[in-house]
Amino acid sequence: MATTAPPDQAIATWTKADAKASRKRNAKLHRKEYVWAAAFMAAPVIGWVAFLLFPMAFSIYASFTNWNGIGKMKFIGVQNYVNLVSDPYFWKALWNTVFYMIGIPIGLALSLALALALSRSIRGRTFFRTVYYIPVISSLAAIAILWQWAYNGDFGLVNQFLAVFGIEGPNWLMDATWAKPALIIMAVWKGLGYSMLLYLAAVQAVPQSLYEAASLDGANAWQKFRKITLPMVRPVTFFLVVTNIIGGAMIFTEINIMTPTGGPQWSTASLVWYIWQKAFKNLQMGYATSMALVLGILVLIVTAIQFRMNRANNFSID
Amino acid sequence: MRRMKAAAIATTMAGALTLAACSGGSSGGSASEDPDTSGGDAPNELTFMFRGGEYDKIAYQQAIDNFEAETGASVTMIITDADQYATKLQAAIAGNKVPDVFYIEPGRMQGYVYAGVLADLTDYVAQDVLDDIWDFGVEAYRFDKETGETRTGPLYGLPKDVGPFGFGYNTVMFEAMGLEAPDKDVPLTFDEFVALAKELTADTDGDGELDQWGTGLNVQWNSQAFVWGAGADWISDDQKTITVDDATFADALQWFADLSIVEGVTPSVEQAQTLDTYQRWMAGEIGFFPVAPWDIATYNAVAADNPDKFGYDVIPYPVANAGDDTATWLGSLGIAVSENSANKELAAQLATYLSTDLEAQKILAENKVQIPNLKSYAFGDWIETDAPAAGWPANTEEFLQIADDYGRALPGTFTYEPGWYDEFWVGIEQVTDGQMTAADYVAQKQGSMQQLLDLAWTNADQAKAQG
């Protein structure tokens, strides 16, 4: 009703006292809103401070100390970082970790191929999608044990399969040359379903009109894939590359289960595995923390470069 | 207004923090997925954190029932997965939530003592109790933090068990091959062992391929007995000098590698994984293989299922020359008490129960989890009647001799941390594969191992100074 009152009547009844009372009411109302807003904000802020900021600050400090993880810390400046530079096992583990990244483009190429295949109307499409996704939801520890058996040089499934084609397979996990590729194959297999699912969604979201226009222009299947599909799924590729690199840098469980001593000639030891060894087995938590921070910084740099490159290659179909 | 906002945010955060703190402390002392490991607060409440299988739990429940009945105490058991135990314990210590009583490995003890985590049990455990436990099991938990000497000084734990790593042979295979069984008291010499292993290595089904081998040993877990049996070692007695670059050591290691490379009495270099040879041994395809107490239940089941192929007994490990002393390793896990326990004396009493309660020891031995900790029982009723009745092998006494007489701790057990010992195994495949001689390998490893051993001592000194 108030909104329909004539303007002159409304002005006549609106006094200074009314304005003050209204401001007071509004302030009270806003105060309540502020309290609620703070309450909602508090949970993530506290979580961030307690579980990210504080541990990170603590880690940074710990990396400058001699600390065994159970006793008192002693500040030793950059000594841990100096030791790290001259530690051959750090570099070996870092190299192994980088080597594992070979699996990322292989996995992405395979999952894109699978996504393209399974986006067509073929018989048993749902079945295959489910089959490829099962490793994603399976326990990594259980999978690692199964693959350990599969890689057994004597009677493992992998070598039995290769024997069908007359190939004498290596003793995968006991051979310094083949241990890393063996772990990469397993990691690719494990991650295939997840990448495939994201690619599947991206492939199906590509407007059909683009393909139709390309067909009218006489483009063949390969040209359509290269000029339409690949650019259109680039955001998914970017997301997968970033998350796979971060995940790959943290590879640990499968190594610890399948090659608990770091593999033949230390060929499978990843940096996180080495950090864990130093922290919990060799009582060198301070040194382990310095390695963890270096790894974190390296991942940050690689991710920042990727974001920059992605921005440079960004495009729009508008 | 701004002040009001700030106050509101501060109040809300304080409230949320309080809630977070409450929820953090509400996990209680139950054996849930993420249990509260803190020691008990009340005068008669204790927490006991350990890892192990079903029989450990049953046996400890028995010991704890006896303990609770006698003392009126209340004990909360916290059991964790074996592979997560060390990490969880370290996290509990860092979070100042140390259980009253918990397992400790001898190899980790020094750091814990320097950090003031472990209670000195010397005054809490009676000498007659200690006298009835294996010397190794007691000495493994003695440490003099002033001098850095191990196996002497104050007592920081009692053994949960001692684990003799024995050697065995397939009795059925020896009988089938018409070979005389090895002597249970006199160790074979290396030459005799190789000769027997060659006789056992055979193509029994005539298909042109070997299907039976003399032995199949994992270098990382089995070579110690042979290196020691030749009179060599990884480290000096004072634990300060690496001794691998030594002709006796190199010869023993080369002899071990040559079992595959030269003598051909093992399945093959590629098949030298423990898993493979372990399964081949139980399939009746391998003549000599390690036998330890924790294997007995499995071996017995296999022997019952496949009596035509598999049966076993225990013998001493071979030695380099006749008259040399046989050797093997003896492991142990300890039970320690928190220095900050509100009930240290009661906790020490519980540790003693867990280590020496006769009923619990009987349960563990009957179920082939371990040999008894109590010498009087082990050499008395157990070896005479209980062990044979429970199905322990005929020469079980060898286990007792290892525990009582000649068993040694694995190298690395009595230094501050074992990084130097781990270093020895990085690349050992080059020797077992024949790519490098043992002499070259040990010469190459001597320096890096010594460097890591020196680092372990430096870290020990720093831990001692820092606390």
Side-chain angles (χ1 to χ4, degrees), chain A residues 111-180:
Chain A
S111 49
L112 179 57
L114 277 176
L116 289 171
L118 293 178
S119 65
R120 294 162 188 270
S121 5
I122 52 167
R123 275 171 70 86
R125 189 170 64 162
T126 313
F127 170 76
F128 283 118
R129 285 180 185 177
T130 311
V131 165
Y132 287 121
Y133 201 73
I134 284 174
V136 182
I137 55 166
S138 304
S139 150
L140 182 53
I143 283 177
I145 291 169
L146 287 177
W147 274 89
Q148 193 179 21
W149 291 343
Y151 279 134
N152 188 290
D154 192 15
F155 47 80
L157 276 178
V158 175
N159 280 0
Q160 282 186 32
F161 175 74
L162 292 174
V164 172
F165 302 99
I167 301 168
E168 194 183 336
N171 196 350
W172 294 88
L173 298 175
M174 298 298 288
D175 187 314
T177 312
W178 287 102
K180 267 199 293 284

Side-chain angles (χ1 to χ4, degrees), chain B residues 396-447:
Chain B
T396 292
E397 195 168 349
E398 195 65 37
F399 287 143
L400 303 189
Q401 286 177 23
I402 295 170
D404 193 43
D405 182 23
Y406 67 83
R408 306 181 187 190
L410 277 172
T413 304
F414 294 127
T415 50
Y416 177 73
E417 53 98 354
W420 64 269
Y421 179 61
D422 295 338
E423 165 70 8
F424 182 78
W425 305 111
V426 179
I428 191 70
E429 303 82 9
Q430 296 168 94
V431 179
T432 53
D433 289 354
Q435 298 163 20
M436 187 184 267
T437 64
D440 287 346
Y441 184 76
V442 295
Q444 176 195 303
K445 284 289 176 184
Q446 174 80 26

Side-chain angles (χ1 to χ4, degrees), chain A residues 84 126 136 145 163 187-188 195 209 226 236 271 279 294:
Chain A
L84 178 152
T126 313
V136 182
I145 291 169
V188 167
S195 308
S209 57
R226 215 165 64 84
V236 171
L271 198 48
V294 169

Side-chain angles (χ1 to χ4, degrees), chain B residues 136 162-168 216-226 228 256 274 277-278 289-296 299 314-318 326-332 371 392 396 398-404 406-410 421:
Chain B
F136 177 91
V162 295
F165 198 68
F167 200 49
L217 302 170
N218 177 289
V219 67
Q220 193 163 348
W221 294 105
N222 303 147
S223 61
Q224 296 86 352
F226 297 94
W228 289 333
F256 186 92
T274 305
T277 49
Y278 180 66
F289 202 74
V291 178
W294 50 87
D295 294 317
I296 301 296
Y299 290 176
V314 187
I315 50 170
Y317 270 92
T326 183
T328 188
W329 57 267
L330 180 60
S332 181
I371 63 168
W392 284 74
T396 292
E398 195 65 37
F399 287 143
L400 303 189
Q401 286 177 23
I402 295 170
D404 193 43
Y406 67 83
R408 306 181 187 190
L410 277 172
Y421 179 61

Side-chain angles (χ1 to χ4, degrees), chain A residues 66 89 152 154 171 280, chain B residues 108 270 276 280 423 462:
Chain A
N66 182 314
Y89 287 115
N152 188 290
D154 192 15
N171 196 350
F280 294 103
Chain B
R108 289 174 171 268
E270 287 77 21
D276 291 10
R280 285 178 187 279
E423 165 70 8
Q462 284 171 353

Side-chain angles (χ1 to χ4, degrees), chain A residues 293-305:
Chain A
L293 277 175
V294 169
L295 177 65
I297 289 166
L298 288 176
V299 171
L300 189 71
I301 291 169
V302 171
T303 308
I305 292 169

